[in-house]
Amino acid sequence: MLRAARICPRLARHHAQWRSVTTSSSIQTPHGHLPSTQSPIISELKFFNSVTGDGTQIPTYRVLDGGGKPIEGAQVPELDEAVARRMYEQMVQLPTIDNLMYQVQRQGKIPFYMTHYGEEATLIGSAAALALDDEVLAQYRELGILLWRDWPIDALMNSCFGNCEDIASKGKQMPMHIGSAAHHFHMISSPLATQIPQAAGVGFALKRDPARRGKNCAVVYFGEGAASEGDFHAGMMFASTIPSPTLFIARNNGFAISTPASEQYYGDGIAARGPGYGVHTIRVDGNDVLAMYNATKEARRLCIEEGRGVLLEAMSYRVGHHSTSDDSFAYRGRQEVEDRKRLDNPLSRFRLFLESRGWWSASDEEELRSRLKKDVLAAYRRAETLPRPPVSEMFDTVYGGEEPWTITENREELKRLLKKYGQTWGPWQAELQKHKGAGQDLMGS
Amino acid sequence: MNLYQAVRDALSNAMMRDDTAVVFGEDVAFGGVFRCTMGLAEEFGRERVFNTPLSEQGIAGFGIGLASMGHTAIAEIQFADYIFPAFDQIVNEAAKFRYRSGGQFNAGSLTIRCPSMAVGHGGHYHSQSPEGFFLAAAGIKVVIPRSPIQAKGLLLASIRDPNPVIFMEPKILYRSAVEQVPVDDYQLPIGRAETLVSGSDVTLLSWGTPIYHCETAMHMLNSPPETLARHVPESLRSAKVELVDLRTILPWDVDAIVESVTRTGRLVIVHEAGRTGGVGAEISAEVQKRCFLKLDAPVKLVTGWDTPVPLAFEKFYTPDALRVLDALVETLSY
């Protein structure tokens, strides 16, 4: 394997304090170099604008073609049948959940939802290649990672309804803002890219922890739109400069709400930025679950072994609308989406591969789809009937330790108002009934 | 010790007791531009005391990540004036981390230190007192010490508080305030004001640098210099001023302030930040609500003006001893 010291001797020397690897090699150039850089001095006036040197774009790594066959020279990962089947099942589970939740949001039963259509392979391929206790920091379209780690569908449904069994945020955040400490999946928040420099901090903490050093990395997911935020720049820079084992996975699905990637950047995608930060980088066909698996596995190994950031750009296509608050046909053609769905479907690609191995059949497919539908519907029905958390939960966990007087007084004030108006002011009266205990937790003696 | 040495001593104490504690920020490895981290890198190693790239949002985000893993993250923002690039990470992330996850995650072991307040010649961006901007960020705490003893005790408490804390160090005091500071590990309570001088006629409330202007003003009230004597009525010269250091801006000590104003019937609040939307406005609103029947005069605010901090006009901008004296006279004679 390649060591960082061979690839990037300048970085190795600059940060000798951080690593045991040192190098004595010095590049010989006729005109020498400036004190702040190893860059050779030249006399030719020459600009450049390409990472690859010859002007071509960074290539995209692929294992399976559209028909589920390994492409020439590609190495198929050694997956046993059980794991491969589970990957496919998890991929199918995503649209099963998405279909139902999208519909019920349309019916007004949950306030909001975001689908994962078209990114199933990106999510499951990477999830399967990570250790179950690698710390994941996600954007919002990464449900597959948590489900791969056996986060119960019940937990998802409870979170979408913000009911009294929602352990993710206790009814405080919007649907799809999920997280589970037990599953090493940090809580999702709406502000884009904020999780990226946080991931570098998480990576650094892992490296400082003797029990996890060399075993785990931080993994941060974000879209190509979020990569335009200043926090992306900060995160990449911190993970490379303050070496922190952080795997950056950019989901480049072509759109940030209505903005096409062509209006998001002028360079060669997100991958082209990695080398600028001194970060090992790869671009992967995000619709090819085996390519995602291989690339993530190797990226993770590199990340942990060198204790530093690695960037993986997964190319896919956002088949669904941005969210339930978005009609994407206002800015892209219906036909374009249909074509993409037909030509390059990550699920059928992997299914064809499984079938070619004799690992999957039409009856397996039928059994899976009806089982998933049944399970998802059962979890949905259960979550739907549960009341919201007790009203007093609203004031809990703003602070740790002693509760500040401001919040205690807020609580008392609402209690007074509920006692006075709770049974007479229509909007409150109806709303109280949706909460566990109907406000008695607050109003009770 | 002076104030920067007290800060350094607190950091050393914190790191000694807690292996997960790390100190980072711009230029902290060589000792910091204000000397607050002198020798720490040599004492604890570069893995625990290190420079970051020059990016405040990165520093805050990185610190939140460390804290979310239970590590003690002590971040430095070089000047409070430059904390604004990290405003999103502090307000949307650190402050809401615990609440939004139903208590599953928190960034409680994060402390952000930053030099603040005017220094005589800092102009717009080396003088600000941005504590008021953080007043509405439920979930964080904001602490400002007035002296070396206070700085060490409050900083150690901030580092160990289970919530993210912004610790603002009045930079003009780094070298000028000197006192005997215990070398032992000790903490002072967060969320508690401290009465420095007891009195019964007016409550004078401040924090950080202006505490010293308040002290001077009190002396001037008791025995005004000849040039000011005609502005200070004889009848007010024996007035007993109660001087209170708020110390914690969020959550501020409402009980102590209300108790004091209930006794004195008068309140003057002094802070360097501009008036509109400042901390003084919040406190005076709360005090007039709770002490309405006890107040003998309107609550008076002595603050910076509603302008950026101006370089050549700083003497006229800052709430100095004269302005505090004038406010005391006005309030006492109302």
Side-chain angles (χ1 to χ4, degrees), chain A residues 24-45:
Chain A
S24 58
S25 76
S26 178
I27 301 152
Q28 295 298 315
T29 61
H31 307 292
H33 56 79
L34 298 173
S36 60
T37 170
Q38 295 290 320
S39 156
I41 288 172
I42 58 168
S43 54
E44 184 192 1
L45 179 65

Side-chain angles (χ1 to χ4, degrees), chain A residues 31-141:
Chain A
H31 307 292
H33 56 79
L34 298 173
S36 60
T37 170
Q38 295 290 320
S39 156
I41 288 172
I42 58 168
S43 54
E44 184 192 1
L45 179 65
K46 185 178 147 196
F47 291 82
F48 66 94
N49 186 4
S50 163
V51 175
T52 55
D54 58 2
T56 58
Q57 294 210 325
I58 295 166
T60 304
Y61 171 69
R62 170 183 275 187
V63 173
L64 296 180
D65 66 16
K69 289 194 189 64
I71 66 172
E72 199 191 327
Q75 185 141 30
V76 175
E78 286 173 24
L79 291 171
D80 64 35
E81 183 181 342
V83 174
R85 281 176 64 108
R86 179 150 190 270
M87 286 169 74
Y88 181 68
E89 293 188 6
Q90 294 271 320
M91 286 172 70
V92 177
Q93 188 176 43
L94 283 170
T96 310
I97 294 170
D98 286 349
N99 290 344
L100 175 71
M101 299 314 275
Y102 188 79
Q103 287 307 320
V104 302
Q105 194 285 331
R106 290 287 139 195
Q107 296 161 18
K109 291 185 174 160
I110 59 169
F112 180 78
Y113 191 75
M114 306 185 99
T115 64
H116 306 77
Y117 299 127
E119 296 183 57
E120 296 89 347
T122 300
L123 297 176
I124 301 303
S126 57
L130 299 173
L132 294 177
D133 58 350
D134 285 339
E135 301 289 331
V136 170
L137 293 87
Q139 179 165 304
Y140 49 59
R141 217 182 289 284

